[in-house]
């Protein structure tokens, strides 16, 4: 099984900012969330390997599993370019509209959803055989996780705008004859506040 885990909360998350490639540590709540989500996943069955985005918030969440952490750059968060660190509410509405309507839209200095989707789907395809035979945890971010879910469902990255993932949430993807099947979505462990 492929077990996708979103990182715990950071100060930027708490402040309602677009984080993207800003490389922040988990905050106190985020550390608690990382411990709780690792316990939830490990309590459900054996974990054979842990892979993480290179960003600190993902690496720190991955370390809570107590296993060696492999790093895969393809699971890094979307780059929001000049909007990184900007509060969601302060991003101009035309920018949000561009992102929603055009997957190839690239904010100044950033990355398009189409490019993110291409790299995440390639990473998921590379894990099919391995995750068909063992339990692989991938600790990543909200946009790559939504891309992986879209890959499993056979739909496009547009689902990013019609689904929600909490911090330290889990999505499980099973495999049948090499084909991905979304098994669970947005599982969370109780840890107190998650905003």
């Amino acid at each position: 099984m492929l077990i996708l885990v979103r990182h715990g909360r950071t100060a930027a998350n708490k402040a309602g900012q677009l984080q993207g490639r800003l490389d922040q540590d988990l905050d106190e709540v985020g550390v608690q969330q990382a411990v709780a989500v690792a316990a939830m996943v490990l309590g459900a069955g054996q974990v054979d390997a842990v892979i993480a985005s290179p960003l600190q918030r993902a690496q720190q969440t991955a370390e809570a599993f107590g296993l060696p952490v492999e790093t895969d750059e393809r699971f890094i968060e979307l780059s929001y370019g000049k909007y990184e660190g900007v509060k969601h509410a302060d991003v101009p509405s035309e920018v949000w509209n561009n992102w929603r309507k055009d997957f190839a839209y690239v904010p100044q200095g950033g990355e398009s959803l189409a490019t993110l989707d291409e790299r995440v789907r390639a990473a998921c395809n590379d894990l099919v055989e391995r995750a068909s035979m063992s339990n692989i945890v991938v600790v990543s971010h909200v946009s790559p996780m939504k891309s992986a879910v879209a890959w499993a469902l056979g739909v496009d990255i547009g689902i990013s705008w019609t689904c929600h993932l909490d911090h330290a949430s889990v999505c499980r993807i099973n495999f049948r004859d090499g084909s991905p099947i979304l098994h669970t979505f947005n599982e969370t462990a109780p840890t107190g506040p998650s905003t």
Side-chain angles (χ1 to χ4, degrees), residues 152-169:
L153 293 173
V155 297
D156 67 40
I157 190 66
I159 70 160
S160 289
W161 305 106
T162 56
C163 60
H164 171 83
L165 289 169
D166 291 311
H167 295 113
S169 61

Side-chain angles (χ1 to χ4, degrees), residues 79-101:
S79 172
Y80 295 109
K82 74 175 191 173
Y83 296 106
E84 294 193 352
V86 175
K87 289 193 173 186
H88 293 256
D90 295 337
V91 175
S93 59
E94 63 267 20
V95 173
W96 288 117
N97 288 335
N98 288 337
W99 265 319
R100 285 188 181 95
K101 293 177 182 174

Side-chain angles (χ1 to χ4, degrees), residues 75-78 116 119-120 140-148:
F75 287 109
I76 199 169
E77 180 59 293
L78 182 73
L116 173 139
R119 63 176 163 81
V120 170
S140 188
H141 310 267
V142 67
S143 296
M145 281 182 66
K146 289 179 176 181
S147 172

Side-chain angles (χ1 to χ4, degrees), residues 85-148:
V86 175
K87 289 193 173 186
H88 293 256
D90 295 337
V91 175
S93 59
E94 63 267 20
V95 173
W96 288 117
N97 288 335
N98 288 337
W99 265 319
R100 285 188 181 95
K101 293 177 182 174
D102 182 7
F103 303 152
Y105 169 70
V106 180
Q108 184 181 330
E111 176 185 33
S112 71
L113 278 171
T115 300
L116 173 139
D117 194 45
E118 187 177 334
R119 63 176 163 81
V120 170
R121 286 173 188 259
C124 290
N125 282 325
D126 287 349
L127 287 172
V128 169
E129 185 175 351
R130 199 171 162 195
S132 295
M133 299 182 295
S134 57
N135 292 323
I136 310 296
V137 166
V138 174
V139 183
S140 188
H141 310 267
V142 67
S143 296
M145 281 182 66
K146 289 179 176 181
S147 172

Side-chain angles (χ1 to χ4, degrees), residues 4-10 13 26 29-38 40-41 57 61 65 139-142 145 165-171 186-191 193-194:
L4 305 168
V5 177
R6 186 180 177 196
H7 62 82
R9 193 182 80 172
T10 68
N13 293 141
L26 298 177
V29 168
V31 170
Q32 294 170 0
Q33 290 172 331
V35 169
V37 74
M40 180 181 78
V41 171
R57 58 193 186 268
T61 303
F65 286 85
V139 183
S140 188
H141 310 267
V142 67
M145 281 182 66
L165 289 169
D166 291 311
H167 295 113
S169 61
V170 175
C171 299
N186 201 38
E187 291 177 72
T188 55
T191 59
S194 63

